Amino acid sequence: MIYNIEYETMPREALDSIKLRRLKDTLERVYATVPYYKNKFKEVGITPKDIKTLDDLKLIPFTTKQDLRDNYPYGMFAVPMDNVVRIHASSGTTGKPTVVGYTARDIGTWAEIMARSLVAGGAGQRDIIHNAYGYGLFTGGLGVHYGAEKLGASVIPVSGGNTKRQITIMKDFGPTILTSTPSYALHLAEVAQEMGFSFKDFKFKYGIFGAEPWSESMRREIEKKLNLTAVDIYGLSEVIGPGVAIECHEAKAGLHIFEDHFIPEIINPQTGEVLPYGEKGELVFTSLTKEAFPIIRYRTRDITSLIIEPCICGRNLMRMSRVSGRTDDMLIIRGVNVFPSQIESVLMEIEGIEPHYQLVVDREENLDILTVMVEIGQKLFSDEVKQLQEIERRIAKDIKEYLAVSVKVKLVEPKTISRSEGKAVRVIDKRKI
């Protein structure tokens, strides 16, 4: 099923025509209303009238998270505050928070693309959506919520936390769609088992998971433990929130980007050069319809590639491959680039290993040491020390063969690694302390 047949199946030529018209309108507007963008245009000696084709977008400088922080809190807004009806912000755990605003029309746009996303992920008007994304300044909870209401589905605004209560609600209310981070979904399965329940006893059909990178192996683990079909959703507050792109449940082969609202690019993160379709690099987004907080060539730091070929589901929208990591959570260990999702892929191939792990990086005598802490199941934990050492050796060997980097492996007992109700903390880099 497709929510908006006109825009999601539009022929490429017609879609590009709409994108160019909306891009020109957006550039004229930010040039006139946001001093930051006007100055950026002047720095490179162009005006919005110099952008005549979609390819000309590359002439415009990038926008970064630091630019948003430098204009904290409202310096990037393109409308008077009288027209802003909603404000969201990042947690600010790695610096000054980034603040984004929405007009009433922006909220309507967001609800529309989230309704499209929910349908692509398997939801329909008759479904009950258990929304375990956090409500508040984080965009996840309210983004899904408004999309579900736009679709006409029933939404349970349970948010994150109170996990045992969530299991009871799942049993009593009979939700059919689960939305959460993938790591929290696995935690829900774990707690349900402790309470004596199986997800096979619940009514879930589909799960829509995002807000952190996850692997195909983790998808298989979630589908097995939660007895549902798991799809990947992508979004970030700076662009609009969840709903920028999503997999369709029919193919699960790349996330459809709603191009009538966003233009994606892939760049070389070192040089800024725009890369061709199919090549992996850093994802950059330009918004086309946002009023309060338009964003131009925003560097997301997420690593992916673009797929231009049509999908079996009938949508003609460009797709992005699953995000494999971020340029700013990428670890460089003795010259080798390492992403947590790559380690996760190796771990999930080994029987008895739980999907809970943490990477600890330290420096000993000027040499970077990566330690992979990983939980094992209760059955394995009771095995002899000799057998546990053999598992550690196998994990280290498999990671060495896959990533060409030597690591230390430490098996830990079940429940040792902290659970998160939101995004999982995968990396502890002690080199920065």
Side-chain angles (χ1 to χ4, degrees):
M1 182 179 168
I2 295 175
Y3 182 79
N4 190 322
I5 293 282
E6 179 184 1
Y7 283 101
E8 295 182 70
T9 64
M10 184 174 283
R12 171 60 46 188
E13 188 176 344
L15 184 57
D16 283 347
S17 176
I18 288 174
K19 288 162 62 178
L20 180 59
R21 175 168 52 80
R22 290 181 172 179
L23 174 65
K24 288 180 175 179
D25 289 347
T26 297
L27 296 179
E28 290 283 0
R29 198 153 46 83
V30 298
Y31 188 81
T33 58
V34 184
Y36 163 81
Y37 284 119
K38 189 167 191 174
N39 292 334
K40 283 288 184 180
F41 274 78
K42 284 183 175 177
E43 284 176 14
V44 294
I46 62 172
T47 72
K49 295 192 184 308
D50 293 312
I51 307 303
K52 301 183 186 309
T53 68
L54 290 175
D55 193 48
D56 290 338
L57 182 59
K58 65 186 178 190
L59 301 175
I60 303 172
F62 296 113
T63 302
T64 66
K65 185 179 278 290
Q66 188 58 48
D67 293 324
L68 306 189
R69 286 172 172 159
D70 291 344
N71 288 278
Y72 174 89
Y74 304 138
M76 301 293 277
F77 284 18
V79 298
M81 287 302 293
D82 289 355
N83 295 343
V84 174
V85 301
R86 174 90 67 79
I87 293 170
H88 283 280
S90 67
S91 62
T93 51
T94 58
K96 192 174 285 188
T98 54
V99 180
V100 297
Y102 302 79
T103 65
R105 182 174 292 177
D106 289 335
I107 296 294
T109 300
W110 192 13
E112 151 79 17
I113 62 169
M114 266 311 305
R116 294 187 196 179
S117 298
L118 292 167
V119 171
Q125 193 174 0
R126 296 182 177 178
D127 279 302
I128 302 174
I129 298 174
H130 184 104
N131 184 18
Y133 283 115
Y135 282 64
L137 287 176
F138 173 58
T139 51
L142 285 170
V144 171
H145 187 105
Y146 275 67
E149 290 188 343
K150 175 81 173 176
L151 176 60
S154 305
V155 56
I156 304 172
V158 68
S159 193
N162 292 317
T163 307
K164 288 185 177 179
R165 181 165 175 258
Q166 296 214 21
I167 301 301
T168 302
I169 288 172
M170 289 175 179
K171 178 175 71 70
D172 294 345
F173 293 8
T176 50
I177 306 289
L178 173 62
T179 57
S180 74
T181 60
S183 56
Y184 190 59
L186 286 170
H187 183 50
L188 284 165
E190 197 174 61
V191 173
Q193 187 177 25
E194 289 172 359
M195 295 172 66
F197 297 115
S198 164
F199 265 72
K200 289 181 179 175
D201 301 324
F202 300 158
K203 296 181 179 178
F204 287 112
K205 299 179 297 183
Y206 297 97
I208 298 174
F209 306 112
E212 62 188 18
W214 52 305
S215 65
E216 280 298 320
S217 304
M218 193 167 182
R219 188 208 298 271
R220 290 195 292 273
E221 190 78 13
I222 289 173
E223 291 186 333
K224 179 181 171 187
K225 290 191 171 179
L226 277 74
N227 194 43
L228 48 68
T229 297
V231 302
D232 191 9
I233 187 171
Y234 177 87
L236 63 171
S237 301
E238 294 87 345
V239 178
I240 201 167
V244 175
I246 188 167
E247 288 178 327
C248 60
H249 68 89
E250 295 94 338
K252 296 192 292 185
L255 294 85
H256 296 276
I257 298 168
F258 296 113
E259 290 180 79
D260 49 322
H261 294 284
F262 315 104
I263 295 179
E265 300 172 272
I266 296 294
I267 64 166
N268 179 319
Q270 276 77 46
T271 66
E273 174 197 5
V274 177
L275 300 176
Y277 297 128
E279 287 200 21
K280 186 173 281 194
E282 182 182 339
L283 181 62
V284 172
F285 270 115
T286 296
S287 68
L288 296 176
T289 53
K290 285 174 68 186
E291 294 180 333
F293 189 83
I295 195 83
I296 310 298
R297 301 201 82 200
Y298 183 69
R299 294 187 63 160
T300 67
R301 301 293 180 189
D302 290 325
I303 301 297
T304 183
S305 59
L306 296 177
I307 305 164
I308 193 70
E309 291 80 14
C311 180
I312 60 169
C313 70
R315 293 174 179 83
N316 281 338
L317 301 166
M318 194 182 304
R319 286 169 288 160
M320 54 182 272
S321 57
R322 176 187 288 276
V323 171
S324 59
R326 290 176 53 80
T327 57
D328 55 2
D329 75 5
M330 179 182 75
L331 296 167
I332 301 178
I333 306 296
R334 298 187 290 282
V336 178
N337 297 342
V338 177
F339 291 101
S341 56
Q342 293 174 308
I343 300 281
E344 180 182 298
S345 294
V346 174
L347 297 176
M348 292 299 98
E349 294 299 320
I350 298 174
E351 189 176 353
I353 295 298
E354 295 293 309
H356 304 290
Y357 65 95
Q358 212 160 46
L359 311 182
V360 181
V361 192
D362 209 342
R363 184 160 290 169
E364 299 175 8
E365 297 180 350
N366 296 319
L367 185 67
D368 290 339
I369 304 295
L370 173 59
T371 302
V372 179
M373 296 179 61
V374 56
E375 286 185 12
I376 56 176
Q378 191 64 50
K379 186 178 175 183
L380 271 183
F381 191 71
S382 59
D383 282 352
E384 293 179 4
V385 173
K386 187 178 177 182
Q387 289 175 300
L388 297 179
Q389 289 173 336
E390 179 56 34
I391 294 172
E392 288 180 342
R393 278 194 290 271
R394 182 187 166 187
I395 293 173
K397 175 174 170 289
D398 287 356
I399 291 174
K400 172 78 173 178
E401 288 178 353
Y402 184 53
L403 294 173
V405 64
S406 298
V407 301
K408 292 182 178 178
V409 177
K410 184 177 181 182
L411 300 181
V412 296
E413 61 183 301
K415 312 278 178 67
T416 299
I417 294 173
S418 301
R419 304 299 193 254
S420 170
E421 294 171 355
K423 298 181 182 183
V425 178
R426 297 298 193 199
V427 177
I428 298 175
D429 193 343
K430 294 184 176 178
R431 295 174 299 181
K432 297 175 183 174
I433 298 173

